[in-house]
């Protein structure tokens, strides 16, 4: 199958499943369900759930067997975006070119919509245990891992470091560490989830973890570059792109993507889709 079609198909699968899993806008209390749906269907690329599905397919599993966990991860990602945009955090009026959640629903509802998506994300991951061929133990492992990957040692901690970062100098090592926590951790978990649900062996999980860390880190550096190149946006804090420039950032991303693809060697041709995703992330324009 051609890769563009693969992305489209997976995105459609995910959108359809999310629509089915989320309460309808009419359901009471309507305002919270409207706010949740506003951000979940606000134009996200679905990279994280696509990674979960693609990793499961590497092990011969079908979309249906891991789609709930994949959607759960997307809900947790959406929660983090809503909270990230809040006036008390990044104070962003726009997300994906549209008014951010709090601009439409007010701060209190946006905060609660984020909370609701976080809870629903965990709920969906647990509900993946309804699938017959999925081992209950793998769901427990996922819950343990997601709590770690979005907790204070990872996503949440990275966000704290990010917002407390003053304009003073931060070393490259510390900046990379912050990106690993804030962004790469959830991306890496998305891949681990597909692998764990598919019963991956230790050696396979290690290789996929390396792939996840490298594409995750590149993802954030590319995000910084897009802020500068497309949106002419000054985030007001040191980023890889504004500290080291576009040329160096680009070549670092190329190196990371190559390393990510190299770590898939043990899977031979079977990992072609994951290699294509890595190239797609490097070339992305949004
Ligand atoms: C985990 C409890 C807990 C709190 C979270 C708010 C917060 C604390 C973290 C925010 C972290 C954050 C926003 C990281 C940025 C990651 C990033 C580059 C997001 C953009 O991802 P895309 O491009 O988004 O995949 P789309 O729009 O495609 O969905």
């Amino acid at each position: 199958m051609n890769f563009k079609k693969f992305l489209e198909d997976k995105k459609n699968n995910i959108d359809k499943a999310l629509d089915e899993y989320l309460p309808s806008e009419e359901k009471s209390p309507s305002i919270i369900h409207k706010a949740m749906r506003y951000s979940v269907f606000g134009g996200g690329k679905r990279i994280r759930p696509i990674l979960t599905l693609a990793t499961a397919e590497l092990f011969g599993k079908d979309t249906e067997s891991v789609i709930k966990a994949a959607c759960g991860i997307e809900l947790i990602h959406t929660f983090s975006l809503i909270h990230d945009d809040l006036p008390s955090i990044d104070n962003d009026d726009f997300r994906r070119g549209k008014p951010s959640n709090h601009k439409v629903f007010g701060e209190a509802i946006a905060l609660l919509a984020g909370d609701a998506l976080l809870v629903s994300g965990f709920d969906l991951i647990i509900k993946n245990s309804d699938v017959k061929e999925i081992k209950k133990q793998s769901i427990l492992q996922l819950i343990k891992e997601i709590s770690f990957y979005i907790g204070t040692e990872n996503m949440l901690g990275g966000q704290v470091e990010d917002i407390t970062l003053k304009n003073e100098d931060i070393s490259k090592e510390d900046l990379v560490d912050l990106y690993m926590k804030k962004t790469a951790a959830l991306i890496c978990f998305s891949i681990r989830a597909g692998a764990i649900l598919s019963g991956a062996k230790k050696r396979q999980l290690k290789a996929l973890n390396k792939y996840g860390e490298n594409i995750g880190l590149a993802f954030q550096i590319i995000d910084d570059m897009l802020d500068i190149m497309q949106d002419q946006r000054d985030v007001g804090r040191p980023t890889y792109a504004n500290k080291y420039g576009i040329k160096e950032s680009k070549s670092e991303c190329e190196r990371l993507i190559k390393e990510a693809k190299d770590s898939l060697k043990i899977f031979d041709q079977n990992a072609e889709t994951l290699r294509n995703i890595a190239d797609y992330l490097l070339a992305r324009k949004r």
Side-chain angles (χ1 to χ4, degrees):
M1 189 196 292
N2 94 26
F3 181 63
K4 198 164 166 258
K5 170 101 172 64
F6 165 87
L7 284 182
E8 265 169 35
D9 281 358
K10 293 300 174 234
K11 195 171 175 300
N12 287 339
N13 290 148
I14 292 157
D15 287 354
K16 203 164 147 266
L18 284 168
D19 187 40
E20 187 190 317
Y21 302 146
L22 283 171
S24 75
E25 292 198 349
E26 289 73 40
K27 189 167 183 162
S28 176
S30 171
I31 187 71
I32 195 73
H33 299 135
K34 275 193 178 127
M36 289 161 80
R37 281 177 169 270
Y38 176 79
S39 291
V40 171
F41 297 105
K45 293 179 289 299
R46 314 294 193 211
I47 281 305
R48 294 156 191 81
I50 288 174
L51 281 165
T52 306
L53 301 183
T55 306
E57 283 186 359
L58 168 66
F59 292 94
K61 289 261 185 272
D62 60 25
T63 295
E64 280 313 300
S65 63
V66 298
I67 188 103
K68 284 188 177 148
C71 288
I73 295 169
E74 182 68 5
L75 295 188
I76 294 171
H77 160 66
T78 312
F79 136 75
S80 79
L81 300 182
I82 296 177
H83 280 207
D84 188 54
D85 291 338
L86 286 171
S88 50
I89 303 202
D90 260 11
N91 194 18
D92 267 320
D93 290 355
F94 291 94
R95 163 76 54 188
R96 305 164 177 144
K98 296 180 189 140
S100 42
N101 199 290
H102 65 273
K103 280 288 171 193
V104 179
F105 296 96
E107 219 177 309
I109 292 297
L111 189 76
L112 292 170
D115 292 342
L117 289 171
L118 175 61
V119 174
S120 306
F122 273 83
D123 183 48
L124 265 184
I125 294 175
I126 291 171
K127 285 193 173 132
N128 209 131
S129 62
D130 298 346
V131 178
K132 217 170 120 214
E133 71 261 31
I134 294 294
K135 292 207 170 73
K136 305 285 175 278
Q137 189 59 36
S138 65
I139 300 291
L140 288 180
Q141 182 68 19
L142 252 52
I143 294 297
K144 189 173 153 195
E145 290 205 5
I146 183 75
S147 309
F148 172 69
Y149 281 99
I150 67 168
T152 53
E153 286 177 64
N154 281 294
M155 190 196 229
L156 197 145
Q159 178 76 348
V160 170
E161 285 174 14
D162 197 20
I163 63 171
T164 50
L165 197 62
K166 304 279 179 316
N167 237 337
E168 83 235 13
D169 227 14
I170 176 171
S171 69
K172 194 181 268 186
E173 199 189 350
D174 286 349
L175 191 61
V176 164
D177 183 61
L178 188 161
Y179 283 5
M180 277 298 201
K181 296 174 184 165
K182 186 180 85 159
T183 305
L186 186 60
I187 289 177
C188 193
F189 173 74
S190 309
I191 296 148
R192 292 184 65 90
I196 290 165
L197 291 173
S198 309
K201 300 203 167 60
K202 238 183 171 167
R203 180 167 158 263
Q204 295 171 320
L205 196 55
K206 197 171 164 205
L208 288 165
N209 196 80
K210 187 131 200 285
Y211 166 83
E213 284 182 352
N214 281 310
I215 62 164
L217 182 53
F219 193 88
Q220 183 58 58
I221 299 175
I222 291 162
D223 212 63
D224 295 344
M225 286 197 284
L226 293 177
D227 270 342
I228 296 177
M229 288 165 18
Q230 289 189 348
D231 307 339
Q232 276 109 39
R233 188 164 167 260
D234 177 15
V235 287
R237 288 194 288 277
T239 67
Y240 203 99
N242 68 21
K243 257 178 91 68
Y244 303 108
I246 298 295
K247 203 166 157 232
E248 187 179 328
S249 302
K250 245 186 195 158
S251 74
E252 178 60 1
C253 289
E254 281 160 8
R255 188 190 69 76
L256 288 164
I257 294 298
K258 181 179 180 307
E259 209 161 295
K261 292 196 286 184
D262 285 350
S263 61
L264 299 174
K265 274 193 183 124
I266 60 163
F267 299 106
D268 299 322
Q269 282 314 103
N270 295 333
E272 212 41 36
T273 305
L274 291 181
R275 290 189 194 95
N276 285 334
I277 294 178
D279 286 333
Y280 158 77
L281 294 180
L282 184 64
R284 77 186 175 102
K285 300 278 178 278
R286 69 173 194 105

